[in-house]
């Protein structure tokens, strides 16, 4: 009997509220992505006797070169600013922890949820959103740049380690979750043009771009929101960007700070912040679980496809919690993301990426040998995408090293 057959068994629909977390081996909910019913991989491979298809996906992400590079890619603070700030890698691990705990409470497939959480930022270029802005501007006449689309390119083309195929040959459920975790890309709900690379891949392996993704993908997306809002609060305080008095003006943070101070007289500094953040994370997770159960109860889905065909996202915060999250985001935008120090560094980082792109575009000989040898004909859209792929895969420190190699002066980014 395979691991998938052992896991399937009888699937039970949870009550609207109050369902306890499933124990080891407990049946998946009817709306969960069933590994035994996976739509498979683009290139056929024999099944594993010890791992489900989604567990293999997760393991392939963990062993990917692009995943290791996340350790030196910016979340908010450049890697050399301090050892304790989050990187894209530690961010992804925190997202995976939150997502997996939510998946267990909702009786979802934990392996698929974790794999999606770990992979969601694989396409991010160096220097976080500053690098993405610079690449998108540089690629304006060649299809633009989108980190979600780049994540798909990473796992379907750019990782090259297997003998039989390019990419990681992940399951259909993994790929649809990667591109649709924020919602449908086509149809009345969609608001942005679909990147060409997603359309091209979907033409040969239909990802059903007009539908929602699985509950697992939606959980991974919401876990991303919970993780970054809370750890950016932690990193912003460490950087000295705000005081507890200022943070306390944000309702959800103010309540948590007051609760911790009431429980621990005289507590201050990092302990006060950490005890408050853990309470905020718990409040957000509990709210999301309750709201998701409410929507599941209203929909009564009998399969994962019923979730895909729903008229709204199933995994969400309540209106009250969403309002509180919006207030926290506004605080972080003003006090952290738009702090003069961050804006100055990110402005210089955008210049580094833009200058690298322009140099490689005009001078193919500037590319390292392995990228130069694989390059399409210069002055073509394919060549511009090749350059974009090269830069998007860089870590912060490699981008700076390349800039120093090619230019007389390189910003210090401090």
């Amino acid at each position: 009997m395979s691991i998938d057959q052992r896991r399937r068994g009888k699937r039970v629909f949870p009550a609207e509220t109050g369902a306890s977390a499933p124990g080891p081996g407990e049946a998946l909910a009817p709306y969960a992505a069933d590994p035994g019913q996976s739509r498979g991989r683009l290139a056929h491979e024999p099944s594993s006797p010890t791992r489900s298809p989604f567990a293999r996906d997760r393991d392939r992400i963990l062993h990917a070169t692009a995943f290791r590079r996340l350790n030196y890619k910016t979340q908010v603070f450049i890697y050399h600013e301090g050892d304790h700030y989050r990187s894209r890698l530690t961010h992804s691990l925190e997202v995976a922890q939150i997502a997996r705990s939510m998946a267990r409470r909702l009786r979802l497939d934990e392996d698929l949820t974790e794999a999606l959480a770990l992979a969601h930022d694989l396409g991010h270029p160096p220097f976080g959103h500053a690098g993405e802005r610079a690449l998108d501007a540089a690629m304006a006449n060649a299809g633009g740049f989108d980190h979600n689309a780049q994540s798909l390119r990473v796992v379907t083309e750019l990782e090259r380690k297997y003998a039989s195929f390019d990419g990681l040959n992940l399951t259909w459920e993994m790929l649809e979750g990667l591109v649709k975790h924020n919602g449908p890309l086509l149809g009345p709900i969609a608001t942005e043009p679909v990147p060409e690379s997603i359309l091209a891949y979907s033409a040969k392996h239909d990802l059903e771009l007009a539908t929602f993704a699985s509950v697992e993908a939606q959980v991974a997306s919401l876990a991303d929101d919970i993780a970054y809002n809370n750890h950016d609060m932690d990193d912003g305080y460490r950087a000295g960007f705000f005081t507890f008095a200022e943070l306390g003006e944000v309702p959800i943070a103010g309540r948590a700070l007051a609760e911790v101070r009431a429980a621990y007289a005289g507590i201050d500094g990092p302990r006060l912040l950490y005890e408050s953040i853990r309470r905020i994370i718990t409040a957000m997770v509990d709210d999301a679980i309750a709201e998701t159960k409410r929507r599941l109860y209203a929909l009564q889905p009998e399969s994962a496809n019923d979730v895909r065909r729903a008229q709204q996202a199933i995994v969400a915060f309540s209106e009250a919690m969403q309002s509180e999250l919006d207030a926290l985001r506004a605080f972080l935008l003003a006090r952290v993301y738009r702090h003069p120090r961050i804006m100055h560094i990110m402005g210089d980082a955008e210049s580094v990426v833009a200058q690298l792109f322009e140099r490689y575009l005009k001078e193919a000989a500037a590319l390292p040998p392995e990228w130069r040898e694989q390059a399409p004909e210069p002055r073509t859209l394919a060549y511009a995408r090749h350059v974009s792929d090269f830069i998007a895969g860089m870590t912060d420190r490699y981008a700076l090293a390349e800039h120093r190699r090619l230019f007389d002066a390189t910003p210090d980014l401090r």
Side-chain angles (χ1 to χ4, degrees):
M1 179 181 292
S2 72
I3 190 169
D4 293 344
Q5 290 172 321
R6 291 197 300 272
R7 287 191 64 184
R8 284 201 294 273
K10 181 181 178 182
R11 304 212 288 170
V12 182
F13 194 92
E16 181 179 7
T17 59
S20 61
E26 186 170 344
L28 296 174
Y31 47 78
D34 186 346
Q37 301 297 321
S38 171
R39 301 192 198 184
R41 308 176 190 275
L42 187 60
H44 175 72
E45 296 183 67
S47 61
S48 168
T50 57
R51 293 176 297 166
S52 78
F54 303 149
R56 293 178 81 185
D57 285 349
R58 180 211 48 227
D59 295 348
R60 289 180 181 189
I61 295 298
L62 285 171
H63 289 284
T65 302
F67 184 74
R68 293 194 296 277
R69 289 186 189 132
L70 295 178
N71 194 37
Y72 291 101
K73 291 195 177 190
T74 296
Q75 178 63 27
V76 174
F77 295 89
I78 303 292
Y79 74 93
H80 58 229
E81 291 194 81
D83 292 341
H84 295 162
Y85 294 121
R86 270 70 172 189
S87 66
R88 284 282 160 187
L89 179 62
T90 58
H91 161 69
S92 297
L93 294 173
E94 291 185 35
V95 174
Q97 179 271 320
I98 293 170
R100 186 146 194 158
S101 66
M102 291 177 67
R104 185 168 300 165
R105 290 176 65 180
L106 292 167
R107 292 206 282 266
L108 306 177
D109 187 275
E110 294 181 38
D111 294 327
L112 177 59
T113 309
E114 182 180 26
L116 287 163
L118 292 171
H120 81 283
D121 271 353
L122 289 180
H124 255 294
F127 312 121
H129 292 290
E132 182 169 14
R133 287 192 298 271
L135 271 185
D136 190 40
M139 289 288 290
N141 296 323
F145 180 87
D146 175 86
H147 77 265
N148 286 328
Q150 191 68 16
S151 294
L152 181 68
R153 288 180 60 75
V154 167
V155 301
T156 59
E157 297 182 46
L158 300 178
E159 284 283 327
R160 292 171 182 167
K161 58 178 65 178
Y162 295 95
S164 301
F165 46 79
D166 287 339
L168 303 180
N169 198 34
L170 304 177
T171 60
W172 182 92
E173 292 79 6
M174 181 70 193
L175 296 176
E176 72 124 11
L178 203 57
V179 302
K180 298 191 305 187
H181 60 270
N182 290 325
L185 300 184
L186 296 174
I189 299 178
T191 58
E192 301 289 337
V194 183
E196 179 58 38
S197 56
I198 293 179
L199 292 173
Y201 184 84
S202 192
K204 61 183 179 182
H205 195 193
D206 187 7
L207 299 179
E208 299 179 1
L209 300 179
T211 66
F212 281 94
S214 64
V215 184
E216 285 83 355
Q218 294 182 41
V219 163
S221 179
L222 203 73
D224 182 28
D225 290 347
I226 294 172
Y228 82 73
N229 280 287
N230 281 280
H231 65 50
D232 290 354
M233 198 182 345
D234 186 11
D235 285 350
Y237 174 79
R238 285 180 180 273
F241 286 176
F242 53 81
T243 65
F244 284 128
E246 292 166 336
L247 180 61
E249 295 174 4
V250 181
I252 193 170
R255 288 196 304 275
L257 288 166
E259 181 181 330
V260 174
R261 282 169 167 151
Y264 302 97
I267 193 170
D268 200 8
R271 289 180 189 267
L272 171 59
L273 183 65
Y274 182 74
E275 285 289 343
S276 300
I277 286 175
R278 63 191 291 234
R279 284 162 173 77
I280 296 171
I281 292 175
T282 297
M284 288 182 175
V285 169
D286 288 347
D287 179 90
I289 293 292
E291 178 64 17
T292 298
K293 287 180 178 178
R294 187 189 70 77
R295 295 188 182 199
L296 285 167
Y297 191 77
L299 183 64
Q300 291 289 310
E302 297 181 358
S303 69
N305 283 335
D306 288 345
V307 171
R308 293 186 175 98
R309 292 189 291 262
Q311 298 303 304
Q312 66 174 351
I314 296 302
V315 181
F317 294 114
S318 67
E319 288 186 11
M321 178 57 73
Q322 187 61 56
S323 178
E324 300 230 75
L325 181 58
D326 290 343
L328 177 58
R329 281 176 171 154
F331 176 85
L332 292 172
L333 180 63
R335 300 290 183 145
V336 179
Y337 311 138
R338 290 185 178 170
H339 189 279
R341 175 177 148 199
I342 296 295
M343 295 292 286
H344 171 72
I345 291 173
M346 290 301 107
D348 284 346
E350 285 191 48
S351 296
V352 167
V353 172
Q355 290 168 13
L356 285 174
F357 186 91
E358 184 177 4
R359 183 67 174 268
Y360 296 137
L361 195 67
K362 292 180 177 179
E363 187 182 338
L367 289 166
E370 64 272 22
W371 282 85
R372 185 169 64 245
E373 293 164 4
Q374 299 170 10
E377 188 69 23
R379 294 179 295 279
T380 62
L381 296 181
Y383 179 75
R385 183 61 63 185
H386 183 72
V387 171
S388 175
D389 287 340
F390 176 49
I391 294 175
M394 292 179 178
T395 61
D396 296 2
R397 62 181 182 177
Y398 183 76
L400 291 171
E402 276 292 279
H403 195 275
R404 292 187 191 101
R405 179 177 72 87
L406 296 171
F407 296 91
D408 293 334
T410 296
D412 193 30
L413 301 190
R414 292 183 189 273

